[in-house]
Each structure stands twice: as structure tokens, then as C-alpha cells.
Amino acid sequence: MSRKISVGLGLAITIIAMTVTFSITMVISMRIFDNTVSSVMKKQVLNNKIAEIDRYVRGTYYGEIEDAYLGDRTARGYVDGLRNSNSVYYTAAEYTELQDIEAGRIVGGGIEVIRHANNYFMIARVYPDYPAERAGVTEFGYITEVDGVEVRNFANVRALQTALRGEQGTQLQLTCRYGTSDMQTFTVQRVNYTAPTVEYEMQDNVAYVRISAFTTQTHGEIDYAIREIERAGASALVFDVRNNSASQDQTAYNEVCRVIDRIAPPGTIARTEFQNGTTPILPTPTFANWADLPMVVFVNANTAGALASFAESLRSLAG
């Protein structure tokens, strides 16, 4: 049985629906407008503060202002103001250096340095067959001076790493403390080398794999290592990503996905949650010949960046 409604009733229903839709739209629009205005006002306050400081300094400062350096320091101060240890500002030169490091192209003596929990800079790794090892430098020493400059003058690991590097063929004077009082000075020649990101060895039937960074070469190195490990009849895998905070750019995180794809079963690698509420999912493993072995990952307080993502993703997927 069909029922007919009058034209007037239909028109009234239509008007009510339009009114409700308009009201909802207005509420949403007002919220967006309020948030936008609030954001603009906050930015305006910040810009006004910087402009006021700039006017005062340029009107009273007795000296030459280097605008490029001032701009970099201002930008660095903004990022430091986030109070997030994983947020870093790079100058153009620093970013170029970072890209070279992430690609494995390094000029130096062949050592990796981390900032230890006691705020001293510790040698976490010495690459075999490179000048630092040949000069007698060993792991777990604390660097006290670089080319006669005390390490307390370096604000962070990145500043110290820059000092350790230099032109190929130049010499690096390194003073280190081992134990409580054993001070040693080494002369290390800087060379151009490509640092491996993956090293492995068999201990009985367990494969030990150390990953020092995620660069564009890591996937190939992992693939080769896994094939050799499987050929050797390994019954378990141990990954070591301790004392490493390298690899924090997007290329590194993409490489994590490729490596996880090679060694872990299918599943969601990770979700990223943005401020606007969106949560995109990182690519999931699809490689059919993944390493079907029990796995353990060693981490510590100095594991960060893509290395930390690797450890968490592998724990989620491999169980």
C-alpha cells in the first residue's frame, strides 16, 4: 500500500533537512575558522617577537651581523624549543654531510661515537682494517680531546662527528680515556671509506647480525647476509641495534620497510599518527621467502630513529 505526501509536507521536510545540514556545516566551519585564527594569532605573536628583537639588535648592536648564520641559529632555536630530542635542524652543509653519511660515504678514521648516559662521548665501534684500528684505537674508550680541543666544547654528537671528519689525507689527533685514569693519544689518518651497515657471524647455530644504520645499501646487505645465514643452517637470528641513533630521515624509514619485508612474515609494520588524526599505515611485508626463524633484537637507551622502528616492527611481526 503506497502513501502519498502533500507537496507542502515534502517541501517542509526538505527545508528542515537543508537547515540541519546548514547548521552542521556552520558549526564545523566555525571550529575550523577558530582553529585557523588561533593558529594565525600564535604565529603572529611569534613573528612579532622575533621582529622586535631584530629591530632592537640592528639598532643598537655594535658589530657586524652575519645574516646567514643568524638565520640558521634562529631556525635551530625554534626546533630546540620543541624539547624533542629527535627533532633536529640541519644547515645546508650539515644536511649534505648527513646524506653522505646515510649513503655510507664517509671521510674519517673509521669509528662510531655515541653520547653515553654519563654525557661523555664513547667510542661505540671501530671499523676493522681502517686507520683508527691500525693506530690502536679500541671500543668503549671515552674521547676527551679531538685535535687538542676538549670534547666539552662540543654541544652534541653531531658536532663531535663533524670534528672527527675532515679532508682526506689529513691527520686526526685523538685523546681517549680507558678505565678510570688510563689516557691514550692516537694519531689517525683520515681516509675516504664506505662503511658497511650490516655485519654478521655464526656462533654455533645462531646467527648474530649487527645493523649500524639504514641506508640505500642496507637491503642488499641484509639480503646477502640472510641467504648466507640460511645456507649455513642457522636455527635462530639475533639482531643487534644497540648504541645507535643514526638514520632518522625518510629514506632510512623506507629502507626499514624493505628490510622488514625481507625477514618478517606478512602484517602491518607500523602506523603513523598525525596531529590531524590521520593514521597512515606503513607498507606491509609481501616477500614470499622471508626468514622463517626465531628472532631476537638487542636494543638499549641509545637505540633511536630508524633502528628503533626496526626493532619495534620486528617485535610486532615476528612475535
Side-chain angles (χ1 to χ4, degrees):
M1 178 178 178
S2 61
R3 295 183 180 180
K4 297 182 179 179
I5 60 173
S6 65
V7 175
L9 179 59
L11 183 60
I13 293 173
T14 303
I15 293 173
I16 291 173
M18 292 174 61
T19 303
V20 172
T21 303
F22 178 76
S23 299
I24 294 173
T25 303
M26 281 297 297
V27 170
I28 295 174
S29 299
M30 286 299 295
R31 287 181 179 176
I32 295 174
F33 176 77
D34 289 342
N35 291 335
T36 302
V37 169
S38 176
S39 177
V40 170
M41 291 180 66
K42 289 178 181 178
K43 290 178 183 177
Q44 188 63 45
V45 170
L46 178 62
N47 292 337
N48 288 344
K49 182 177 289 188
I50 294 175
E52 182 180 354
I53 294 172
D54 189 63
R55 283 194 300 270
Y56 180 80
V57 170
R58 293 184 186 276
T60 59
Y61 179 65
Y62 185 75
E64 185 177 350
I65 297 175
E66 191 176 337
D67 286 317
Y69 179 78
L70 180 62
D72 281 332
R73 296 295 295 182
T74 301
R76 180 160 292 162
Y78 181 97
V79 175
D80 289 344
L82 300 175
R83 297 183 181 180
N84 185 324
S85 59
N86 292 322
S87 299
V88 182
Y89 170 81
Y90 293 96
T91 65
E94 289 169 343
Y95 186 66
T96 298
E97 182 183 49
L98 176 67
Q99 288 180 309
D100 287 338
I101 294 170
E102 297 294 351
R105 300 185 298 269
I106 305 173
V107 175
I111 64 174
E112 285 183 15
V113 179
I114 63 169
R115 182 160 231 162
H116 202 257
N118 56 14
N119 280 333
Y120 288 99
F121 296 100
M122 186 180 76
I123 299 172
R125 187 185 186 198
V126 179
Y127 288 104
D129 301 324
Y130 281 105
E133 185 192 55
R134 292 196 289 267
V137 179
T138 57
E139 296 176 353
F140 309 122
Y142 293 94
I143 299 176
T144 59
E145 291 186 7
V146 177
D147 288 334
V149 179
E150 294 186 4
V151 294
R152 63 184 180 183
N153 294 312
F154 298 109
N156 48 44
V157 172
R158 189 178 63 205
L160 176 59
Q161 288 172 333
T162 299
L164 292 173
R165 302 183 188 102
E167 293 185 10
Q168 184 175 357
T170 60
Q171 289 189 333
L172 166 68
Q173 296 293 324
L174 201 62
T175 302
C176 304
R177 177 172 59 82
Y178 292 89
T180 56
S181 59
D182 184 16
M183 302 292 291
Q184 299 183 41
T185 300
F186 307 94
T187 299
V188 180
Q189 186 176 20
R190 294 182 176 97
V191 297
N192 194 341
Y193 65 97
T194 300
T197 63
V198 178
E199 294 176 287
Y200 67 94
E201 62 178 292
M202 293 292 297
Q203 298 180 3
D204 294 328
N205 61 340
V206 176
Y208 171 83
V209 182
R210 187 181 191 279
I211 304 177
S212 59
F214 281 94
T215 72
T216 53
Q217 68 194 55
T218 305
H219 178 264
E221 292 180 359
I222 278 285
D223 181 64
Y224 177 80
I226 295 299
R227 292 179 190 279
E228 291 298 303
I229 287 165
E230 290 174 332
R231 188 176 294 116
S235 60
L237 276 168
V238 174
F239 292 99
D240 190 351
V241 293
R242 292 172 296 178
N243 296 324
N244 206 313
S245 58
S247 308
Q248 300 196 36
D249 63 356
Q250 189 58 50
T251 299
Y253 288 101
N254 291 339
E255 196 67 9
V256 168
C257 294
R258 296 181 66 211
V259 170
I260 291 292
D261 188 27
R262 174 62 181 88
I263 64 177
T268 298
I269 292 179
R271 290 181 175 86
T272 303
E273 184 173 344
F274 291 97
Q275 192 177 39
N276 62 8
T278 59
T279 55
I281 298 175
L282 294 184
T284 56
T286 57
F287 194 77
N289 191 26
W290 53 276
D292 189 11
L293 294 171
M295 301 179 192
V296 173
V297 185
F298 289 155
V299 299
N300 62 10
N302 293 310
T303 302
L307 280 304
S309 294
F310 167 80
E312 178 59 31
S313 300
L314 196 57
R315 185 184 70 161
S316 300
L317 290 170

